[in-house]
């Protein structure tokens, strides 16, 4: 495999992961470039699990940038991109409004997660990686991946339930919206 073939095979996964983690197209593009510079400077032809290795490099680059610039987290909603991708077909105005509200709520919940938990959720649901691939990518045991994913989903569920009960109380107190 040539460097070009390697780049063509993995650049979309790397970019998508970087974009989802950073919520900034320019930063994602820059990091994607940096990831492949890092890959090509190493002995990538002798790596056994190339995708997991490249994704680990991408995730490390993302986490390093997030650590350097914590204010980056508030710049864009990370779910806007997903919403744009799934709104390809024509939908009713009501459906679009409901989807935007749900996407904004999920984006808010994901931004509140610690970086380690957000990384696992991103790789699992955006990168569509298996537990084993995530473990290899992040260099952590599969059990740790499962516990982080469980913890992240538990935190998000608890916040959703809290928000839901708030709206129900508001509806009961003030009538239907």
């Amino acid at each position: 495999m040539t460097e070009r073939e390697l780049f063509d095979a993995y650049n979309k996964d790397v970019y998508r992961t970087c974009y989802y983690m950073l919520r900034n197209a320019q930063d994602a593009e820059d990091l994607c470039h940096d990831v492949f510079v890092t890959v090509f400077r190493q002995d990538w032809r002798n790596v056994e699990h190339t995708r997991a290795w490249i994704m680990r490099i991408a995730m490390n680059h993302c986490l390093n940038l997030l650590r350097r610039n914590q204010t980056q987290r508030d710049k864009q909603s990370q779910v806007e991109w997903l919403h744009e991708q799934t709104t390809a077909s024509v939908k009713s105005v009501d459906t679009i409004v409901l989807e935007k509200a749900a996407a904004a709520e999920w984006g808010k919940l994901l931004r509140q997660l610690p970086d380690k938990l957000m990384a696992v959720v991103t790789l699992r649901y955006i990168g569509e990686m298996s537990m084993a691939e995530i473990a290899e990518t992040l260099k952590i045991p599969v059990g740790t991946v499962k516990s982080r994913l469980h913890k992240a989903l538990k935190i998000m569920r608890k916040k959703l339930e809290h928000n839901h009960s708030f709206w129900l109380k508001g509806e009961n107190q003030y009538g239907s919206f």
Side-chain angles (χ1 to χ4, degrees):
M1 178 182 283
T2 67
E3 287 181 351
R4 183 68 197 185
E5 290 169 336
L6 182 77
F7 178 80
D8 289 342
Y10 298 109
N11 75 18
K12 288 179 183 164
D13 288 339
V14 169
Y15 177 81
R16 183 176 57 228
T17 299
C18 291
Y19 183 83
Y20 190 74
M21 289 293 293
L22 303 172
R23 293 168 304 283
N24 181 292
Q26 187 61 50
D27 287 345
E29 192 173 311
D30 291 345
L31 269 188
C32 186
H33 176 265
D34 293 347
V35 165
F36 283 98
V37 167
T38 301
V39 166
F40 296 144
R41 287 184 177 165
Q42 309 224 358
D43 190 16
W44 59 271
R45 286 183 171 86
N46 293 324
V47 174
E48 186 176 348
H49 302 285
T50 308
R51 181 175 188 257
W53 179 68
I54 291 173
M55 295 307 289
R56 183 178 72 242
I57 292 170
M59 188 57 66
N60 287 340
H61 276 68
C62 289
L63 292 173
N64 288 340
L65 183 62
L66 286 171
R67 282 185 204 110
R68 282 193 305 265
N69 189 3
Q70 283 296 322
T71 58
Q72 188 78 25
R73 296 186 92 162
D74 298 325
K75 283 189 176 179
Q76 283 184 343
S77 169
Q78 62 187 190
V79 180
E80 285 176 4
W81 178 80
L82 286 174
H83 177 70
E84 291 169 9
Q85 300 301 313
T86 57
T87 315
S89 61
V90 177
K91 298 177 182 177
S92 73
V93 173
D94 290 341
T95 302
I96 292 170
V97 168
L98 288 173
E99 286 178 354
K100 282 192 180 229
E105 187 171 9
W106 279 109
K108 182 179 175 185
L109 290 171
L110 286 170
R111 281 191 306 277
Q112 293 173 1
L113 291 175
D115 290 342
K116 287 181 177 183
L117 300 181
M118 186 171 65
V120 172
V121 171
T122 300
L123 291 173
R124 180 71 177 121
Y125 296 108
I126 301 304
E128 297 176 352
M129 295 177 82
S130 70
M131 300 288 183
E133 289 173 318
I134 295 169
E136 188 173 330
T137 299
L138 298 177
K139 292 280 191 195
I140 57 176
V142 174
T144 303
V145 172
K146 289 179 181 179
S147 67
R148 285 182 185 175
L149 186 59
H150 176 75
K151 185 175 183 178
L153 295 176
K154 185 177 178 181
I155 289 169
M156 293 173 72
R157 188 177 306 115
K158 189 177 265 188
K159 290 183 185 225
L160 272 175
E161 288 170 357
H162 173 72
N163 292 347
H164 183 68
S165 68
F166 170 79
W167 285 107
L168 286 178
K169 286 178 187 172
E171 188 173 308
N172 291 337
Q173 187 175 357
Y174 302 109
S176 295
F177 290 105

